[in-house]
Each structure stands twice: as structure tokens, then as C-alpha cells.
Amino acid sequence: MALDDLQSVIEKLQIMIKTHRGYLSGDETRTRQVLIDPLLRELGWEVSDPDMVELEYKVGQQRADYALISNGRRVALVEAKRLGNDLEYDEIMQVLNYANRDGIDYIIVTNGDRWEMYEVFQPAALEERLLMKLELSQQPAHRNALQALAMWKPNLAADGGPSAATEPLLVSPESALDQTSVKPDGQQQQQFSNDLPADFEKCYSFISEQRYPPNATPIPIRLKIDTHIEKQVDSWWDVIHEVVVWLVNERILSSNNCPIEMGEWTFINSEAVNRDGTPFRNPRELPNGLILQRGRGTTREQWERLWKLLKQFNIDLSKIEVFYKLIEKASS
């Protein structure tokens, strides 16, 4: 498998997700045929070959959607959901229990866009068993391709287990988990605060707690909230979602203070509709039944949404810590 071919397949899947989201979100079978099967095939798992992939693998009275087979041995179970379906903790644990029962080392859960792979027999909390997590629609195809290599057949079936591919990144000397607090230089502060309230710089500081050059992009990798919550994250959307869930669990965010608007579109509502009556493009249900609309945009726009939300509820910004790595943009 050439990495360029994998990247090309992922680019096609990204177009499918963007163009046919409504159609694919309506049915798991469509999601499997259009999004999941093509990626598995490109990673070396030919879904039409029973010696390589066992469909509807029976575990007791239940079934897993796929069992991946190498040299006659089942090495992973794959559970498929329709596009847009959240990958819930209970569902992941159910598949993990299936694999544990049958001595299968790995599980993969996916809704065609989001993919997560876990190690079954590691004696640790679920989040510590996570080996790979990607979201096709939320990052460049080349980054998705590198992460997806953890599911590549020769890699997944290798002795010692899969090794995650690492992209050559230009990372700040302090490393991804450094918490050194250094404010941006004057040029960057001007860039991020010229059309926002003066204290937006405070939000920028708590999110990116070290200096980085103008041609670098911060990619979040870990989130801490209020000293007692720590999560692995892959995107600024993950950060926003986890903070919103925390606001719900703390009973700060409820139907009494909805809808919440972000400019011309609705961010959170009791129903998946914007104020003009149009449906949310990418809704996600929160623990209290409210609906969060997933937004896209630049890193700065994502920061601004998070900042506005926290300011609206008078949340101390120091409660939120985001650790990140830096990716230097290619020169044109």
C-alpha cells in the first residue's frame, strides 16, 4: 500500500462526508458501504474475502460488524455506526467485552468519519487503552493517513502490536506538554485581538501557554478542566465539546439559558434547529438532552467560540488548560 494511495482514498471519503452527510447519516449500511469498507480495503482488509474479514461475527448471542483476520487468527473487531452517531462509552465497552471474551487483542469503533482503536487486554481505564483516534472531516488527509496506519493489516497483525505512525513535525522546544506561560509577542497579540474585546488576549493565553512563530499552528492533544477532568483531544472541536459537556454536568448549562447563538448561527439549542428554522448540519446530543451544533472554522474562530461561551457563564478561564503540539505550515 502506497501512502499516497491511502491519502487519495481519504480525500475521496472527506468529499463523500461533506457532500452526502444527510444521506449517509440516515443509515448504518450506507455508512459502511460508502465510508467504512473503502478505508478498510485500502488498509489491506478486503471485506469481500471471508479469509480476511468475517462479517457479522457472532459473539454469544450478539454480533460485531467485522472481525479482521490475519493468518487464520482474529486480530481485531470493528463496530460500525451510522455517520453522525456518537461513539458512546457503553457501546465501546460492549465491543471491548466481546473481544475480551474471544481473546481478540484490539477493537475499532467508527461512524465512518470518526475512528478509534483500543487495546483490549491492557489493565487500565478505557481512555488509557486508546491507541489511535482520528476524524476524517476535521484534519488534512495526510495526517489522517498517518494515523490510520495503525489499522494497516501488516501493522495491526504484527508481533508486539501496531505502532502509530508519527508525522515529522516542527515542535516547539518546550515539548507538547510544557506548561510554561509566555504571552504572545506584540505582533501576534495584535493579530488575535484587533476586532475582539481587550480581554480576548487572556483567552488566547490560557489556551496557548507558550510563544510560537506566526507560521505555526497549535494542535491540541490533551485537555484539563477544573483540576479533576483530563481528556485526550485531537482537535479544537474536541476541546469545545468536552468543555460544553462539563458545563452541562456542572448544571451551568441547561435549557433555561438556551438557545445560545454564535453570530448568525445557533450553537446550542433544545432542538436541532437554527433560529431561522433550518436544521443543524451536524448535531450532537449533550447529556441533558440539549443539542450542540458542530461548527467549522479556523483555529482562531474555534478559540473565539470557546472564549465567548466561557465568558457568557462567567467561568474562570484558568479552569481550562489545553496542551498542544505545533505544526509549522509549509512555506509557499
Side-chain angles (χ1 to χ4, degrees):
M1 178 195 67
L3 192 58
D4 286 348
D5 292 339
L6 176 59
Q7 179 176 331
S8 177
V9 168
I10 289 174
E11 288 171 348
K12 293 176 183 177
L13 296 180
Q14 289 173 326
I15 294 172
M16 285 292 181
I17 292 170
K18 181 178 180 180
T19 307
H20 301 291
R21 181 174 293 277
Y23 171 78
L24 297 173
S25 298
D27 187 82
E28 180 185 309
T29 299
R30 297 172 188 168
T31 298
R32 289 174 62 169
Q33 293 178 348
V34 176
L35 299 178
I36 298 174
D37 290 358
L39 185 55
L40 289 176
R41 285 193 187 96
E42 188 60 32
L43 291 167
W45 305 102
E46 177 48 66
V47 295
S48 64
D49 183 352
D51 290 329
M52 195 175 297
V53 178
E54 185 175 347
L55 300 176
E56 305 302 326
Y57 173 67
K58 190 172 182 180
V59 187
Q61 299 302 312
Q62 306 297 325
R63 294 180 184 274
D65 293 309
Y66 308 78
L68 307 184
I69 304 169
S70 177
N71 295 322
R73 182 175 67 90
R74 297 179 185 91
V75 295
L77 296 183
V78 181
E79 183 69 10
K81 302 296 179 184
R82 61 178 175 79
L83 180 64
N85 189 299
D86 283 344
L87 307 181
E88 301 287 354
Y89 174 86
D90 289 346
E91 294 174 336
I92 296 172
M93 288 302 300
Q94 184 179 44
V95 184
L96 192 144
N97 289 334
Y98 294 165
N100 183 73
R101 166 180 167 154
D102 283 12
I104 298 172
D105 292 329
Y106 306 101
I107 65 166
I108 299 165
V109 289
T110 179
N111 63 8
D113 184 8
R114 188 166 186 154
W115 294 71
E116 298 178 5
M117 185 168 75
Y118 295 86
E119 187 174 0
V120 174
F121 297 107
Q122 181 183 354
L126 180 63
E127 57 268 20
E128 297 175 18
R129 303 188 193 195
L130 184 67
L131 295 173
M132 183 280 304
K133 178 180 176 182
L134 63 86
E135 196 155 6
L136 299 180
S137 64
Q138 294 304 305
Q139 62 183 7
H142 72 278
R143 290 195 65 219
N144 282 318
L146 287 164
Q147 290 175 272
L149 286 176
M151 301 181 290
W152 184 36
K153 187 171 184 281
N155 197 7
L156 185 57
D159 292 339
S163 300
T166 55
E167 183 175 9
L169 304 174
L170 295 178
V171 182
S172 59
E174 292 82 1
S175 85
L177 293 179
D178 190 346
Q179 300 183 53
T180 305
S181 179
V182 180
K183 291 185 178 181
D185 58 32
Q187 179 181 359
Q188 284 186 305
Q189 184 169 338
Q190 177 67 26
Q191 176 185 355
F192 285 96
S193 62
N194 55 4
D195 60 349
L196 293 169
D199 58 351
F200 181 74
E201 186 269 332
K202 182 179 181 182
C203 174
Y204 175 66
S205 295
F206 91 79
I207 290 179
S208 58
E209 294 189 318
Q210 62 189 32
R211 186 187 304 270
Y212 63 87
N215 63 336
T217 299
I219 304 296
I221 59 175
R222 188 168 294 274
L223 168 69
K224 286 187 177 180
I225 306 176
D226 198 20
T227 72
H228 65 279
I229 297 175
E230 186 167 355
K231 298 274 189 177
Q232 178 176 334
V233 290
D234 285 337
S235 67
W236 289 105
W237 168 251
D238 277 352
V239 173
I240 291 173
H241 179 256
E242 295 296 343
V243 170
V244 170
V245 169
W246 171 70
L247 291 173
V248 168
N249 291 337
E250 293 294 315
R251 301 182 185 277
I252 296 170
L253 174 60
S254 69
S255 58
N256 294 331
N257 38 47
C258 283
I260 293 177
E261 310 288 347
M262 287 287 174
E264 298 182 353
W265 62 292
T266 303
F267 188 47
I268 304 171
N269 203 354
S270 56
E271 298 180 307
V273 293
N274 294 292
R275 59 186 174 186
D276 62 1
T278 58
F280 280 5
R281 294 184 61 184
N282 197 342
R284 177 169 291 184
E285 186 171 355
L286 299 171
N288 63 352
L290 293 177
I291 309 297
L292 172 67
Q293 178 167 205
R294 180 175 191 143
R296 299 184 180 182
T298 64
T299 297
R300 177 176 180 267
E301 289 169 337
Q302 300 280 18
W303 288 351
E304 183 178 351
R305 289 173 193 147
L306 181 58
W307 172 80
K308 287 181 177 180
L309 185 67
L310 295 173
K311 291 291 288 183
Q312 178 165 336
F313 294 109
N314 297 314
I315 301 298
D316 180 359
L317 300 183
S318 66
K319 289 180 178 289
I320 314 297
E321 295 180 275
V322 182
F323 307 104
Y324 64 93
K325 60 187 176 184
L326 296 174
I327 298 180
E328 187 165 305
K329 300 175 184 177
S331 58
S332 55

